[in-house]
Amino acid sequence: MQIDPQQTRRLSEVDPPVSCLSDDGRVKGWHTALCAWLVSLCTAVPVCAAPAADAASEPWDAPAFSADPQIVLRTLSEQPAPEDADCEVLLEEETHLFDEQGRRQSTYRTVVHCLTKDGVRNWSNVGASWAPWYQKRPEIRTRVIAPEGQVFTLDPKSISESPVGQIAPGVTTDARVLLAPLPGITVGAVVEREIVTRESRPFFSDGVLGQVGLFSMWPARKLRLTIEAPATLPLRYKVVGLKLKPTESVRDGGRTLVFERGPV
C-alpha cells in the first residue's frame, strides 16, 4: 500500500482521488456515492516474500507498540529474510472509522524490517499532512527496535510543521505537513509507525468516496484494510483487480469490513 515512505503518503488521500489502476494497468473511474470505497488490489514490481508463519503467531500483529521487542527480534531471526530486498513489510494496515455524522478517524500503521542501507534511508523519517478546515492535527507515534534490542521512540519536539502553501499556479491551500526523523534506525532495525488523523467535520456532508490500494513496493507479509461505520450509515465498496472478499461483521449497531492480503 505504500507509495512514498519519505512522506508517508497514504493511498486514501485527503481529497478523494479521481482514478486508480487495476492490476492490468487499466484506469478505473470514480463516481460520487455516499460513503463509498474502492479497494484497488494493484501489484507493483513483482517481489518474492519470505515464507510467513501463521498470522496469529506473528508478534507485530498485536495492537500497536505492544509486541515485546525481544520476541520480535527472535521471531525474525528464526525466519529467512527475502533475498535482494532493501526491507520487508511485516504489516501495513489502514483503519477508517466513521461516526454517525460521517466524520472519519483514519489510522495508518506500518511495521518494517530494514535490511539494507537503502532500506534505512527509505524509512528514516515519518510525515503526515492534514487540512485544518476539516481535520485535526495528526497524532504520530513511532518505535524503532535496534538489532541489539534497544528501543527508540519519537521525541515530539523533533516534529517540524510547515504549510503546504501553493499546490498549483494561483491555487493555495490551508493544508499543513508534519515531518520528523526517526532515532536509532540502522540496518536490521524494526520500524513501527502509526499516524492517526481525525476529522472535526465531514469532508462532504452528503458522503465521501475513497480508495485504498492493497499492494506493496517491497515484500510484504500482510496488508490489511479495516472500515467500520454505523449500520445506519450507507457504506458501499468495490474490489478492483483481484478476487477478495472481506470479513464482515455487525455488532453493537456497527458494521465492520476487514480486507486482508499477503504475503505479496
Side-chain angles (χ1 to χ4, degrees):
M1 297 188 297
Q2 189 77 17
I3 289 276
D4 182 0
Q6 295 290 344
Q7 300 299 327
T8 319
R9 297 291 293 175
R10 294 184 295 278
L11 286 181
S12 52
E13 298 287 352
V14 169
D15 295 326
V18 294
S19 66
C20 70
L21 293 177
S22 67
D23 64 335
D24 61 4
R26 294 178 297 172
V27 174
K28 300 295 184 178
W30 283 89
H31 303 280
T32 301
L34 181 59
C35 201
W37 285 80
L38 186 68
V39 182
S40 176
L41 302 177
C42 310
T43 301
V45 179
V47 294
C48 296
D54 181 359
S57 66
E58 303 282 31
W60 42 83
D61 209 42
F65 309 106
S66 66
D68 185 298
Q70 296 300 328
I71 294 178
V72 170
L73 294 175
R74 183 168 64 249
T75 301
L76 290 174
S77 69
E78 296 171 350
Q79 300 173 0
E83 298 181 0
D84 302 321
D86 293 324
C87 62
E88 181 182 20
V89 177
L90 306 176
L91 174 66
E92 183 170 4
E93 63 178 351
E94 289 193 33
T95 302
H96 300 279
L97 308 178
F98 291 88
D99 64 17
E100 294 182 351
Q101 287 73 45
R103 294 174 299 191
R104 175 166 46 128
Q105 174 180 308
S106 300
T107 301
Y108 180 64
R109 178 185 173 216
T110 55
V111 184
V112 178
H113 188 200
C114 297
L115 304 174
T116 69
K117 291 183 178 179
D118 285 339
V120 170
R121 184 163 49 251
N122 284 334
W123 294 90
S124 61
N125 58 42
V126 61
S129 62
W130 82 104
W133 73 269
Y134 80 104
Q135 293 176 312
K136 299 179 181 179
R137 190 178 192 266
E139 299 172 6
I140 300 177
R141 293 194 299 163
T142 70
R143 181 176 72 167
V144 176
I145 304 174
E148 297 78 17
Q150 303 99 315
V151 174
F152 302 87
T153 57
L154 183 65
D155 181 358
K157 296 180 181 179
S158 69
I159 302 176
S160 65
E161 179 178 334
S162 60
V164 171
Q166 194 174 63
I167 58 176
V171 180
T172 59
T173 175
D174 74 337
R176 302 186 67 82
V177 176
L178 301 177
L179 188 64
L182 297 187
I185 186 170
T186 185
V187 174
V190 177
V191 179
E192 182 170 4
R193 310 188 302 183
E194 182 188 67
I195 302 170
V196 180
T197 305
R198 297 178 174 86
E199 292 182 350
S200 55
R201 56 184 293 184
F203 176 82
F204 185 58
S205 60
D206 288 335
V208 295
L209 182 149
Q211 71 176 39
V212 173
L214 289 180
F215 70 92
S216 178
M217 296 173 60
W218 301 281
R221 298 197 183 190
K222 179 179 290 186
L223 308 175
R224 179 190 297 131
L225 165 66
T226 301
I227 304 174
E228 183 176 331
T232 56
L233 188 71
L235 174 63
R236 293 185 289 169
Y237 69 90
K238 181 178 182 181
V239 178
V240 177
L242 288 178
K243 294 181 179 179
L244 182 69
K245 291 184 178 181
T247 300
E248 182 171 353
S249 61
V250 178
R251 182 180 179 182
D252 297 330
R255 180 187 179 196
T256 302
L257 302 172
V258 180
F259 301 83
E260 283 193 0
R261 186 186 181 203
V264 297

